[in-house]
Amino acid sequence: MDVPKRVCVVGAGSWGTVIGKMAAGKAGAGEQQFESQVRMWAFEEMVDGRRLSEIINQEHENIRYLPGHSLPHNLVVFPDLLEASRGADILIFAVPQPFIGEICNRLKGHVKPGAIGVSLIKGFGRGPEGLKLLSDVIGEELGIEVSVLTGANLAQEVAAGTFCESTLGCRNQDHANIVKSLLQTSHFHVSVVSDLCAVQLCGALKHVVALGAGLCDGLRLGGNTKAAAVRLGLMEIIGFVRIFSPSSPADTGTFFHSCGVADLIASCYAGRNRRLAEAFVVSGQSVAELEKELMNGQKVEGPNTASELNHYLKSKHLVDQFPLFTAVHQILFEGKPVSDFISYLQKHPEHM
Amino acid sequence: MDVPKRVCVVGAGSWGTVIGKMAAGKAGAGEQQFESQVRMWAFEEMVDGRRLSEIINQEHENIRYLPGHSLPHNLVVFPDLLEASRGADILIFAVPQPFIGEICNRLKGHVKPGAIGVSLIKGFGRGPEGLKLLSDVIGEELGIEVSVLTGANLAQEVAAGTFCESTLGCRNQDHANIVKSLLQTSHFHVSVVSDLCAVQLCGALKHVVALGAGLCDGLRLGGNTKAAAVRLGLMEIIGFVRIFSPSSPADTGTFFHSCGVADLIASCYAGRNRRLAEAFVVSGQSVAELEKELMNGQKVEGPNTASELNHYLKSKHLVDQFPLFTAVHQILFEGKPVSDFISYLQKHPEHM
């Protein structure tokens, strides 16, 4: 029997807390390959005059980010990042994208060699070509292999234990088996695909398509048009993967996993990006105003991803090949009238 | 210049009338390869004491099936099927599935050799193996090549002229070009794929998946579970195509067209089958009762397709490979409790 593996979840937002809860559920109940204690790093903040880490450890509930869900007692929060992650064999990254750079800086040199990284973070990092996969950002910084878990996984619903599926993008079959053992239950099915890049780009780019779907909803164009916009969005995701990662397999099987069609559908028919874009059309307010008012100050990932993507497409002279991505950015940020949205779709390369 | 082609739409329900309107729009405005008069056969019925065919020809509105939309004057209705279809070079079939057998019987021997058939009909025909493609039923009966047009095309929305996409399954490139010239506009984009079988099965089987999506909605399981059910439904559609039509291409490109993901999404997030199944869960009434009450006596295609499909799967010992299709049938018609729905999905071959 191998030495039990230590698990650390880096981040205690709603999704990180849910993953911590699930991992602790498995580790605490018979999965002997894992230490029964699962560690979680929480950014220390005060809630009603108390430290969040203390509240979680004493009351076994994350009243700030996942209220109403009791957490296993073997999920233990550490407010110190290095203490939380010390000796971890599996590091699950669940912080908002803007913080991952600093997290990596602080962890650098303190990560156990051969540790398995799993990123739950959506979005892009920055690299010499403009965009960089976050798995590469984390992996290169910490010197570990990093897989990606993404799918139609709204945190509140996963916490409630309703059936859903997720996709693990992972190039290392041993790592895949370990992560699957840690997280899969009869209500949370994890499928494994090797095209880490496609899985990850699906997770980032769906936000941009969901903004387009929200524009459709705001324009009250009906179900046919919205289905066409979502479909063209999927085609642009696939097209982008082929350009961004020429080493991705030519077959499109990955897009049929939860990370692809399922997460895209869920995001385009619910989700905050869709809602933001719909409100943009209906209210006439700016994205910044809506983020403040509508989203209660919570950052929505889509607009930022749309901008980074647009910058990349411009620099590569690819704007015309991605009319939906381009429409979203030009309408949300460059003052193009939303009534032009359909004319972008009509210029889709598939329609030429 | 070739002799202009004569077009006849067989059927004047809402979708037939919309297609007739679009064809007449193109034929009446410069598309010189078509006779400017487009003919439409309407099953004669009385509306407010007048014949429907007379009303449409005099008032240029189908007040029974497409009220509120004016029709071009060059769309002319004939109540006699043989007169409507006489000499037609393009025959577009838009009758409900149960009537196509009789329509073919009446047309047999009266169809112009080399005429192009286009089926808009969803569902299955009957053959020696239990199920038969409707394009084959029509084609063999009339001795013509029959293509299939399907996609996320809710008739009312297409009539309103909002942007949408459709897919033509067609093995004959000349026919495809002609049909595209007749129907495509800047607001109705027609893509052509050669896998006629996959296109057609998508159109029939989406109804069954939409019933499953409606069960999910009725159970109030949330967006993650529904996205998983829709995705697994898509996997079953793809799996069924491979078994039913081994000659279909191994690549899955067809399913990315409007006939595939887009129509499936539209049907699972709106549409009558979804609504019926949701009401089945919420009300506890039978499918037959709901069709009477909820649907105003309108026939919903899904339940019938689900039954024919289940019969076929049983006869081929394939039930276990299609748990979502099976769940829909057993819950709607065999008294299995709807609370078992998720346990079917958990037994999906992809999850084993």
Side-chain angles (χ1 to χ4, degrees), chain B residues 214-215 218 273-285 290 294-295:
Chain B
L215 293 177
N273 289 289
R274 188 213 67 78
R275 190 151 64 96
L276 179 87
E278 183 181 36
F280 177 89
V281 179
V282 174
S283 73
Q285 290 179 282
L290 288 166
L294 187 70
M295 301 298 160

Side-chain angles (χ1 to χ4, degrees), chain A residues 157 163 165 225 231 346 351, chain B residues 163 165 186 225 231 351:
Chain A
E157 295 182 9
F163 173 73
E165 302 178 318
T225 306
R231 190 194 79 78
Q346 288 168 327
H351 290 181
Chain B
F163 173 74
E165 301 178 319
S186 62
T225 306
R231 190 194 80 78
H351 291 181

